[in-house]
Amino acid sequence: MRTKACIFDLDGVIVDTAKYHYMAWKRLTEKLGITFTVTDNERLKGVSRMASLDIILEIGGRKLTMPEKQELAAQKNEWYVEYINMMTPGEILPGASEFIDELKRNNIRVALGSASKNTPLILERVGMNHVFDAIADGNNVTKAKPDPEVFTKAAELAGVEITGCVVFEDAIAGVEAALNAGMICIGIGDPSVLKDAHLVVKGLHEMNLDKLISLEKRLGNEGII
Ligand code: BG6
Ligand code: MG
C-alpha cells in the first residue's frame, strides 16, 4: 500500500468540540453585545483562536487593540477549557477508534494534525493520549491552515514521506492545507462544501482499509498520484 500514515484533524473528525467552541464564543459575544449565530460559527472551523476572534470582531464591526484582543481570547479559552474538562471517552465520534485500530493492525501509522493548543487536554479527557504515533498541534506548529505546516510536521514526526500520507479533515482550510502539503485528503462532512477533497465521507464510521485501498487505485488510474 502507498499509504503509510493517516493524519487526523482533531476537532470535528475525532471529537465534536465545535459545540464547545461555539458555547464559549457565544458567551464572549454576548458580553460584547455582538450577534453571533451557529452559521457564523461555521466560519471558525479549523481557524486559529486569534483569527477566530478577528472574524467575530469583523462581524460585530469592532476594532480593538492587540492587548484587548489577547484578553478576550484568553477569556474565551478559559470558558472553553471549562467545557472540555468535562469531556468523556463517550464523546469520541462514531467509528474513529475502530478505524484507527484497523490502521494500526495493518501497520499504518496514525498521527494528529490540529490547530488547537488544547489538543493534549482533549486527548487526555477522552482517553486517547497514548493512541497517536505523532502529534502536530497548536503547540508545536506556528503557521495556520491552509498552510501545510501542521501536516508536514505530523508526517516528519511520524517518520513518513509526504507521498505516504492521507489526511482526514472537516474544514475547508484544512483540506486546502492537506492539498498544499501534496497529500491525499479525505473530507469529513458535506461534499458540496469540501469540494477539493479526493473523497468525502460523513464520518470515520464510513471509513475502512478497503475504502482507502480503492481510493489509492482510483487516484492512480486517474493519474492524480
Ligand atoms: C481548531 C478548531 O481545531 O482549533 C478551531 O477547528 C479552533 O475552531 C482552533 O479555533 C484553535 O483551538 P484552540 O483550542 O487552540 O483555541
Ligand atoms: Mg476540524
Side-chain angles (χ1 to χ4, degrees):
M1 254 189 101
R2 174 190 155 110
T3 305
K4 304 282 181 246
C6 285
I7 308 175
F8 298 88
D9 170 49
L10 178 65
D11 297 316
V13 173
I14 304 285
V15 285
D16 178 20
T17 41
K19 58 176 181 272
Y20 300 125
H21 279 297
Y22 177 66
M23 283 158 69
W25 285 126
K26 185 80 186 157
R27 238 165 120 174
L28 193 79
T29 50
E30 276 167 8
K31 194 174 130 175
L32 295 170
I34 294 173
T35 311
F36 177 63
T37 64
V38 185
T39 315
D40 293 329
N41 194 52
E42 284 301 303
R43 289 178 61 191
L44 310 186
K45 281 190 180 168
V47 176
S48 75
R49 198 180 305 165
M50 208 31 112
S52 300
L53 178 60
D54 283 336
I55 293 173
I56 286 170
L57 293 174
E58 183 205 299
I59 291 169
R62 304 285 177 84
K63 276 214 161 30
L64 297 178
T65 63
M66 194 38 121
E68 286 169 332
K69 289 203 293 186
Q70 271 158 349
E71 202 184 313
L72 292 179
Q75 172 68 86
K76 179 267 173 177
N77 193 55
E78 215 173 279
W79 287 327
Y80 178 63
V81 168
E82 264 176 38
Y83 302 134
I84 57 174
N85 248 321
M86 291 186 292
M87 286 180 81
T88 65
E91 289 179 71
I92 297 172
L93 287 168
S97 297
E98 291 79 357
F99 181 50
I100 288 171
D101 286 347
E102 188 186 19
L103 293 171
K104 287 185 159 195
R105 283 198 303 276
N106 287 278
N107 295 319
I108 295 174
R109 296 193 168 211
V110 291
L112 207 69
S114 167
S116 176
K117 289 189 162 75
N118 291 298
T119 297
L121 175 62
I122 296 169
L123 292 180
E124 199 253 314
R125 295 315 297 160
V126 301
M128 290 185 95
N129 40 350
H130 298 299
V131 168
F132 296 95
D133 299 304
I135 296 177
D137 64 16
N139 300 297
N140 57 359
V141 165
T142 52
K143 295 186 198 123
K145 298 171 186 175
D147 189 283
E149 189 190 13
V150 68
F151 296 130
T152 51
K153 180 87 180 172
E156 182 194 319
L157 293 173
V160 172
E161 299 282 328
I162 299 288
T163 50
C165 294
V166 175
V167 170
F168 292 83
E169 253 296 345
D170 71 315
I172 298 170
V175 170
E176 296 314 318
L179 300 182
N180 287 339
M183 297 175 182
I184 294 176
C185 185
I186 301 184
I188 303 290
D190 183 345
S192 66
V193 176
L194 305 174
K195 291 186 196 78
D196 294 334
H198 294 108
L199 170 76
V200 179
V201 293
K202 288 196 187 74
L204 291 177
H205 58 285
E206 288 190 357
M207 271 316 297
N208 56 47
L209 199 62
D210 286 344
K211 242 185 190 168
L212 204 54
I213 294 169
S214 309
L215 177 65
E216 277 185 8
K217 278 200 192 128
R218 196 198 89 201
L219 296 178
N221 289 341
E222 289 171 12
I224 292 169
I225 56 172

